[in-house]
Amino acid sequence: MESKELNISPVGRVEGDLDVKVYMEGGVVTRAHTQAAMFRGFEKIMQGKDPQSGLIVTPRICGICGGSHLYCASSALDTAWKTQLSPNALLLRAIGQATETIQSIPRWFYAIFATDMANKKFASKPLYQEVVKRFAAYVGTSFQKGVTASGRPVEVYALFGGQWPHSSYMVPGGVMCAPTLKDITRAHAIMNQFRNDWLEPVWLGCSIERYLQVKSWDDLMAWVDENESQRNSDLGLFIRASLEFGLDTFGQGVGKYLAFGTYLHKDRYNRPTIEARNDALISAGGFYDGENYHALDHMQVSEHVQHTWFKDHAPLHPWEEPIPTPVETSTILTETDFDGKYSWSKSPRYMEHAAEAGPLSRVIMAANPANLEHQNRDPLFGDIMKEKGPSVFTRTLARMHEAPRIYEYINEWLGQIDLDAEFYIKPEERDGKGWGATEAARGALAHWIEIKNGVIENYQVVAPTTWNVGPNDGEGKPGPIEAALEGTEIEDAHDPVEVGMVARSFDSCLVCTVHAHDAKDEKELARFKL
């Protein structure tokens, strides 16, 4: 049988340089390696700095989910300094986190993922022309509507955070803003515009309330065929086309799922501790091993560096890890030794398992029957996983499914803000260890901090893409995207769109590469890698 290797660089679209090497036999991927070709190095920047410098520095890690890093930086100091948080502070932090996540949903779908469905690979399918008409990059009839609508929620973020991206309004002890009634009213109006411009008429074809009645795979298929409005909505088209195109047949992954959870209840986390966090979450966290749910314990996290361009050490919990020390690299894909070190990404493990992070993990946690009354309880994806299993389709559907629920949360929380109550309680600085975590749009994100003699002794960040794009660990077990690529059939080796669809269903995001162009002749002037 013919063996072939493909070196694809870059796979990422807009958000950084993910490179992939796949080995194929008979057109089917037998093994894959992912390569993060950039050095981040924020941990080195933080060492020796004032503990609060994380509030300024870490939101710059990413221009899309900087608010999530701010959320983690603030929370890590809350647990280290044993702060007090008012209900208003918890509400405004949750609103910031939710608006940043929901803005990413239509932007990611139309600009990053759905354009691949307009690839010529699917040209023989009956729904292809309709998919091209709506989802083709830039010219699709839904493309601009979705991307434009994605700007509305971050207007709400900017109302409370002063700006988006790169705000610093969340601080240990609360938030640095006290909104007025005009701000709350305006926030409601902006979110209503998001609902009226895109979420209901374009994406759902029905009311949010009707869609949230869907509780099983059979319910969902009945919802699609319920009327023409829902059948011809963008969600209805996505579901019908995905099944017709076979997106439910590849991209399975490691079959284990991790979510740190997010949105802390306004009355259940006023004295933040790591131990009390699980029960205070509204969007529950946890680990699902494919059969059983496990309560989240951040001490089960470790990172492998055997295949990372860092100086070797044993797998360690982030509090115990040394600041990463780079070693000699070869980031040219064709010259990389994939038996040795081959990526800037570490290999995080939970209970020593590779685990997928992201929206699919979150909706699986929402289906946990043990969730508390105040937590998100949604059985839909528990049933979809039994009926369909994980795939490019299931992963993408999970992310889009979150939009109506998050919209409802934002409106609910805006109505709970008490304008006459406090938003900030000054904390007392002290040495110690802290942990802050959340769910960025792409999945589980956490910061670990150790403060000694009033400055940062150690700071470690594990981002969702690190979980998903990480290389083999010390035992040779592949990362989630590497595993998801195995078994994928590549129809045209000169246009391996299937590889891109698998990687983009995880929304692999490796920002940091800067290119400079002359605006007149579009000539590249220089290229920098940070």
Side-chain angles (χ1 to χ4, degrees):
M1 187 173 291
E2 182 187 6
S3 298
K4 193 177 181 67
E5 296 179 11
L6 289 181
N7 297 288
I8 307 163
S9 174
V11 173
R13 180 175 285 149
V14 180
E15 297 165 316
D17 293 344
L18 169 64
D19 297 339
V20 172
K21 184 183 188 72
V22 298
Y23 306 84
M24 300 187 302
E25 286 188 8
V28 177
V29 176
T30 56
R31 187 159 57 99
H33 291 304
T34 53
Q35 183 176 87
M38 340 177 256
F39 175 59
R40 187 179 64 202
F42 275 76
E43 289 87 349
K44 295 181 76 72
I45 296 172
M46 299 291 292
Q47 191 176 36
K49 301 293 194 303
D50 183 284
Q52 295 193 74
S53 59
L55 306 172
I56 306 298
V57 174
T58 65
R60 272 71 183 176
I61 289 175
C62 179
I64 299 296
C65 55
S68 300
H69 284 284
L70 176 62
Y71 193 103
C72 288
S74 301
S75 299
L77 288 176
D78 284 331
T79 51
W81 288 355
K82 306 183 189 310
T83 65
Q84 183 178 352
L85 296 174
S86 68
N88 278 337
L90 288 164
L91 286 168
L92 281 176
R93 287 187 184 186
I95 290 168
Q97 181 66 75
T99 51
E100 182 171 87
T101 296
I102 198 172
Q103 67 82 25
S104 184
I105 290 174
R107 186 171 303 185
W108 166 81
F109 180 78
Y110 294 107
I112 304 295
F113 180 80
T115 57
D116 282 334
M117 297 179 72
N119 187 280
K120 67 180 187 304
K121 168 185 171 69
F122 307 111
S124 63
K125 306 295 183 183
L127 286 171
Y128 178 72
Q129 291 301 326
E130 185 63 21
V131 165
V132 171
K133 176 186 171 186
R134 292 197 218 174
F135 299 160
Y138 302 107
V139 298
T141 55
S142 294
F143 184 94
Q144 290 196 11
K145 290 178 184 176
V147 173
T148 301
S150 72
R152 299 288 87 77
V154 288
E155 292 177 13
V156 174
Y157 190 108
L159 270 178
F160 306 124
Q163 67 182 59
W164 184 91
H166 307 324
S167 172
S168 295
Y169 83 103
M170 302 178 201
V171 293
V175 291
M176 296 304 291
C177 62
T180 65
L181 180 59
K182 182 180 178 181
D183 294 329
I184 303 298
T185 304
R186 188 176 173 193
H188 274 299
I190 292 170
M191 291 309 299
N192 280 338
Q193 186 180 0
F194 176 78
R195 173 179 180 152
N196 295 332
D197 285 354
W198 176 75
L199 184 54
E200 287 189 339
V202 177
W203 183 250
L204 296 176
C206 69
S207 69
I208 289 173
E209 293 76 10
R210 168 66 191 96
Y211 176 72
L212 290 179
Q213 293 171 357
V214 174
K215 300 298 181 187
S216 67
W217 173 249
D218 288 342
D219 280 356
L220 183 64
M221 297 310 293
W223 174 88
V224 170
D225 291 329
E226 188 170 271
N227 55 54
E228 284 302 306
S229 176
Q230 289 160 202
R231 182 175 175 79
N232 290 318
S233 68
D234 278 2
L235 174 57
L237 176 63
F238 165 71
I239 292 171
R240 291 185 293 126
S242 292
L243 300 180
E244 184 178 282
F245 293 3
L247 304 191
D248 58 330
T249 62
F250 64 101
Q252 280 75 20
V254 292
K256 302 184 189 311
Y257 304 90
L258 176 72
F260 287 152
T262 190
Y263 312 137
L264 293 157
H265 191 283
K266 70 181 182 67
D267 298 322
R268 293 172 177 264
Y269 204 62
N270 306 107
R271 296 283 185 179
T273 64
I274 294 173
E275 295 74 19
R277 183 176 178 276
N278 282 354
D279 286 349
L281 291 167
I282 294 173
S283 178
F287 175 65
Y288 182 66
D289 64 12
E291 295 182 358
N292 299 300
Y293 287 96
H294 303 265
L296 180 68
D297 175 5
H298 80 99
M299 293 303 294
Q300 296 294 335
V301 175
S302 63
E303 291 199 283
H304 291 236
V305 296
Q306 184 166 331
H307 291 284
T308 306
W309 286 309
F310 292 146
K311 187 176 179 181
D312 277 330
H313 61 72
L316 294 169
H317 180 270
W319 270 337
E320 308 304 323
E321 281 189 277
I323 297 294
T325 302
V327 298
E328 188 174 350
T329 67
S330 173
T331 56
I332 299 173
L333 204 56
T334 53
E335 298 178 3
T336 301
D337 174 13
F338 286 94
D339 292 325
K341 295 178 180 294
Y342 64 87
S343 177
W344 281 117
S345 176
K346 299 178 184 178
S347 306
R349 293 293 181 264
Y350 189 87
M351 295 173 67
E352 287 305 309
H353 295 293
E356 176 176 338
L360 180 55
S361 299
R362 287 197 289 269
V363 295
I364 288 173
M365 299 311 154
N368 184 351
N371 283 353
L372 303 174
E373 283 294 328
H374 70 277
Q375 294 181 321
N376 185 14
R377 306 173 79 182
D378 182 351
L380 176 59
F381 276 80
D383 190 57
I384 289 178
M385 288 293 285
K386 290 176 183 174
E387 294 290 331
K388 303 295 294 180
S391 65
V392 168
F393 164 67
T394 309
R395 197 170 292 116
T396 304
L397 181 65
R399 186 159 187 175
M400 304 310 293
H401 175 72
E402 290 189 311
R405 179 73 65 192
I406 295 174
Y407 175 89
E408 294 235 308
Y409 280 150
I410 294 169
N411 267 352
E412 177 184 337
W413 296 332
L414 285 170
Q416 292 176 354
I417 294 173
D418 181 354
L419 297 176
D420 296 324
E422 57 195 349
F423 290 82
Y424 172 72
I425 300 168
K426 185 175 176 59
E428 178 186 345
E429 298 187 26
R430 64 184 80 189
D431 287 357
K433 290 182 176 180
W435 177 63
T438 189
E439 287 290 318
R442 294 167 186 78
L445 170 67
H447 292 195
W448 285 263
I449 187 172
E450 180 180 6
I451 306 165
K452 193 173 181 180
N453 298 321
V455 298
I456 295 172
E457 174 78 4
N458 193 5
Y459 204 101
Q460 299 285 346
V461 174
V462 181
T465 298
T466 319
W467 285 101
N468 291 333
V469 84
N472 281 203
D473 60 23
E475 299 175 0
K477 293 181 292 189
I481 293 180
E482 291 180 329
L485 287 166
E486 292 180 8
T488 300
E489 185 174 354
I490 307 296
E491 187 172 297
D492 180 359
H494 298 287
D495 182 17
V497 63
E498 298 87 352
V499 173
M501 296 191 87
V502 171
R504 288 191 269 277
S505 73
F506 287 86
D507 195 8
S508 54
C509 175
L510 299 96
V511 290
C512 278
T513 303
V514 179
H515 305 265
H517 290 261
D518 186 311
K520 293 181 179 178
D521 61 13
E522 298 185 351
K523 180 181 178 182
E524 182 176 275
L525 301 176
R527 178 173 296 190
F528 305 92
K529 286 193 175 182
L530 306 180

